Each structure stands twice: as C-alpha cells, then as structure tokens.
Amino acid sequence: METQIKRNAYEVVVVGGGTAGLTAALILGRSRRSVLVVDAGEPRNAPAAHMHGFPSRDGMPPAEFLAEVRREVTGYGVELVRDRVTAAEPDGDGEFEVTLEGGGRVHARRLIVATGLVDELPDIPGIAERWGADVIHCPFCHGYEFRDQPVGVLYRKAAGIHQAVLFSALSSDVTLFLDGTDEDELPDEHWQTLAVAGVAVVSGKVDGIEVTDDRLTGVHLEGGRVFPRSVLVVPPVMSPRDTLLTSLGARTKDTPAGPFVDVDPTGQTSVPGIWAVGNATGPAEQVVNAASAGYRAGVALHAQLLQSDLDREAERRRAGVFSPEGERAVARARAAV
Ligand SMILES: Cc1cc2nc3c(=O)[nH]c(=O)nc-3n(C[C@H](O)[C@H](O)[C@H](O)COP(=O)(O)OP(=O)(O)OC[C@H]3O[C@@H](n4cnc5c(N)ncnc54)[C@H](O)[C@@H]3O)c2cc1C
C-alpha cells in the first residue's frame, strides 16, 4: 500500500480500509468518483487465521481476503494509503479538511468512517495471546471448528449466558465459568435456561489458561483447579473507534454493547456529509454485513453527490451562469440514467 498521497482533494475520503471501507470505495470507484482510502492496517479479525461465513470465501485467511479486495479497488482508480486520520474538520462549506498522522492534509467533499472497533479483553494471563485461535467470541465465525469439543465460556452477565446457549448447539459439553461472580447474582431465568441447554456452571475466579503444544487445553481457577477445555469463549467489551465521528458531533444510540454512532439504513450519520459503516456502527457487523453496509453507503453517497451537483448547476443556470464543470455534472447524470 502507498504511503504518499497523490492529490490534495478527493470527492470522498474513506477512513479505514477494512471490509466496510473498501467495499464503499469499490462502489465509489466503479462510479468514477475520486476516492482516497486511509487505512491504519489493524483490521479486527487480524488475529484469526481463517475467516468464516462469507459466501465463496469461507475459510480464507483474513489478510488474503483484504489484499484481494484492495487489488480490486485500486483497479478502479481508488487510491489507498497506509496512514491514520487524526482529525477531520468542517471547512465551513459543508465539506471537510482531513489530517493524517504522517503529516498529510487533504480536502474531502464527503467522508466515510469505517474505523471498526476495539475488543477489550479481560486481564487474564494467556487470553490475549490466544485471541482468535482458541480464545474466541463468535459462534458463527469459529464455533463450528470446535463442534463436539469441551467448550468453556466466561460469564459476562447476559452476554455470557447468550454465548453459552449458542455454543450448546455446537457441543454437548459446555461449561460456564462464573469468574468470581456470586451464583446468587444470576437471575432464576438464567439458571433455568442454562439447565435446559445442558450447560454446566463452575464458580470461582479464572486466573489463567493451560496451553500444551500451542493449543488451549484447560481453564485454570484460583486455588489450582484446572478444567480441561479445548476452547474458551470470551465476550469482549467492544468499543467503537468513533472519536472522529463524535468529535464532529455525530449522534450515538444505546445498544446492549454500549453506545454506537447512529446511522440510517444507508450509513448516513446525523452529521451532513458523513457516513459510517461496519463495526464502527455496531457490534454485529460481521464481514459480510460490513461489506453490505459499505455497498449501501457507496451507492447512497454517490447518488447524493450527483444530486447536489445537479442542484448547484440548476441554481447557476437559473442565475444565468454556465460552467464547464457544471456541464460535466449534467452529462454524467445523463449517462447514469
Ligand atoms: C478474532 C476475530 C475473528 C473474527 N472472525 C470473523 C469471521 O470469521 N467472520 C466474520 O464474518 N467476522 C469475523 N470477525 C468480525 C470481523 O473482524 C468484522 O466483522 C470486520 O472486521 C468488520 O469490518 P470493518 O471494516 O468494519 O472493520 P475492520 O476490519 O476492523 O477495519 C477497520 C480498519 O480501519 C482502520 N482504522 C481505524 N482507525 C483509523 C483511523 N483513524 N485512520 C485510518 N484507519 C483507521 C483500522 O486499522 C482497520 O484496518 C472476527 C472478529 C474477531 C475479533
């Protein structure tokens, strides 16, 4: 990926080059928009060796998948740069000045923020090192690979119960570790759900995991007890990378995972000219959903730019002023019909 920006102004700057941002860029590139994608290169699923649940790409390494999308996107003239956007400021005319960590500064008519989220893991020794391998969070992404095996689930309020129940459909040997939570804190209906689902419950604080030959083999409790397990399911605390959006005044909404930026079905935020897509807008945006959100935002943003150019030109014509760029916009609209 490039490290230098080629121009000082783009119709669209996409912040974040994971699946969501790149898919938006793909549609905008195919619509012949000038697009810059700035990507810091830390996609959320990077720790996993394989990606699942994306039709036709099931099992593909995530890095290979993104490299392929980048190849497709640049084929349509989209520019990709490895850098980090540190600020975006309104220019007073409904557009934006974007600052990059590497020192670059570009003008953008519109912004798409596709910065993803950060998974905050519990401070238990060994968990971070095994994240994405045999410490996992998503039954749909990696659960099948552990079917019929001894599964451990870390209790994190309702999220822990939810995960234990989902994994009980994949294995008949699921144990929920309360990890220091008092048994009495679990509501009666949770105990009933766990019993019906056949989930075992273990009290005590988890203080580590056992790893043998580069595989998770057990969950370690304070006091020395070890429970043999092949996988530990950990519901992370998910924090959207939304500083850019909130600093520009984007409204947030409450979700069970905490506040996320509020977007309409096309990804438009409450701030005119700014779209947000993918995991930056919600915890359930798996790769295929992130791609879909990027696609919808690309379509909507292109149509909105087109309309705004046409409106501006119609205004000019009403005022008796003609311009070559206006003629181009009109001709473009004609071709798009
Ligand atoms: C361990 C693990 C395994 C997973 N496995 C699967 C799976 O098998 N199947 C599946 O469907 N989903 C899986 N997921 C979920 C998947 O990671 C997300 O669905 C997907 O990454 C969301 O795409 P995104 O484009 O929204 O965000 P990301 O892929 O996280 O991309 C965001 C990008 O924006 C960049 N960025 C952030 N801030 C800035 C900034 N200020 N300037 C420039 N760039 C910035 C980041 O560096 C990153 O490259 C998994 C998640 C985890 C944690």
Side-chain angles (χ1 to χ4, degrees):
M1 200 186 284
E2 296 284 334
T3 51
Q4 294 288 319
I5 310 160
K6 298 202 177 91
R7 309 160 51 156
N8 57 14
Y10 296 83
E11 288 178 299
V12 183
V13 169
V14 180
V15 188
T19 305
L22 287 175
T23 308
L26 182 65
I27 296 310
L28 290 163
R30 286 179 51 75
S31 304
R32 311 200 66 190
R33 294 289 175 194
S34 65
V35 181
L36 173 69
V37 179
V38 185
D39 183 36
E42 295 160 354
R44 185 180 173 209
N45 57 351
H50 302 103
M51 173 186 87
H52 290 282
F54 196 105
S56 86
R57 296 294 178 268
D58 191 58
M60 195 173 189
E64 214 174 282
F65 173 73
L66 285 180
E68 182 62 13
V69 188
R70 283 196 294 271
R71 192 191 59 74
E72 291 170 353
V73 164
T74 48
Y76 295 106
V78 170
E79 290 174 35
L80 307 181
V81 67
R82 173 55 44 82
D83 208 327
R84 186 181 299 276
V85 171
T86 52
E89 290 147 288
D91 73 346
D93 203 17
E95 301 184 354
F96 305 93
E97 294 297 332
V98 179
T99 307
L100 277 60
E101 197 172 61
R105 199 170 160 83
V106 291
H107 184 86
R109 291 185 66 191
R110 301 288 185 271
L111 284 180
I112 297 185
V113 177
T115 42
L117 62 72
V118 176
D119 294 294
E120 289 165 26
L121 301 176
D123 191 16
I124 297 172
I127 295 259
E129 290 79 358
R130 307 296 309 171
W131 180 239
D134 36 28
V135 173
I136 63 172
H137 77 297
C138 169
F140 308 104
C141 305
H142 304 290
Y144 185 83
E145 283 60 46
F146 293 99
R147 65 195 178 281
D148 297 328
Q149 295 185 40
V151 176
V153 178
L154 208 60
Y155 177 72
R156 287 296 180 267
K157 298 200 180 325
I161 305 290
H162 184 60
Q163 293 282 26
V165 169
L166 287 173
F167 274 87
S168 74
L170 295 161
S171 169
S172 57
D173 183 1
V174 178
T175 297
L176 180 68
F177 293 94
L178 292 185
D179 191 27
T181 300
D182 198 314
E183 287 185 9
D184 294 339
E185 283 183 33
L186 267 66
D188 289 346
E189 61 269 24
H190 283 174
W191 282 108
Q192 192 175 39
T193 303
L194 294 168
V196 174
V199 175
V201 178
V202 169
S203 299
K205 187 122 186 81
V206 174
D207 69 355
I209 53 175
E210 303 263 304
V211 177
T212 314
D213 294 334
D214 200 26
R215 296 175 82 91
L216 187 144
T217 50
V219 173
H220 198 278
L221 260 56
E222 261 177 20
R225 275 193 303 166
V226 176
F227 289 79
R229 299 285 95 186
S230 300
V231 62
L232 181 62
V233 180
V234 173
V237 175
M238 293 179 265
S239 305
R241 291 197 192 98
D242 61 3
T243 325
L244 275 182
L245 292 161
T246 51
S247 69
L248 285 158
R251 193 174 54 228
T252 59
K253 63 175 184 301
D254 285 329
T255 78
F260 276 79
V261 162
D262 196 15
V263 290
D264 79 2
T266 73
Q268 167 84 67
T269 68
S270 60
V271 182
I274 305 182
W275 272 257
V277 288
N279 264 159
T281 67
E285 294 289 294
Q286 300 302 88
V287 178
V288 75
N289 304 325
S292 165
Y295 195 111
R296 283 197 303 271
V299 168
L301 199 162
H302 172 60
Q304 201 216 54
L305 273 176
L306 212 47
Q307 191 61 51
S308 126
D309 287 346
L310 293 177
D311 290 348
R312 195 164 54 188
E313 185 52 22
E315 192 62 37
R316 279 202 189 119
R317 286 180 179 216
R318 273 196 292 276
V321 180
F322 291 84
S323 75
E325 83 229 59
E327 296 307 323
R328 270 203 296 279
V330 172
R332 239 173 159 176
R334 234 179 249 131
V337 169

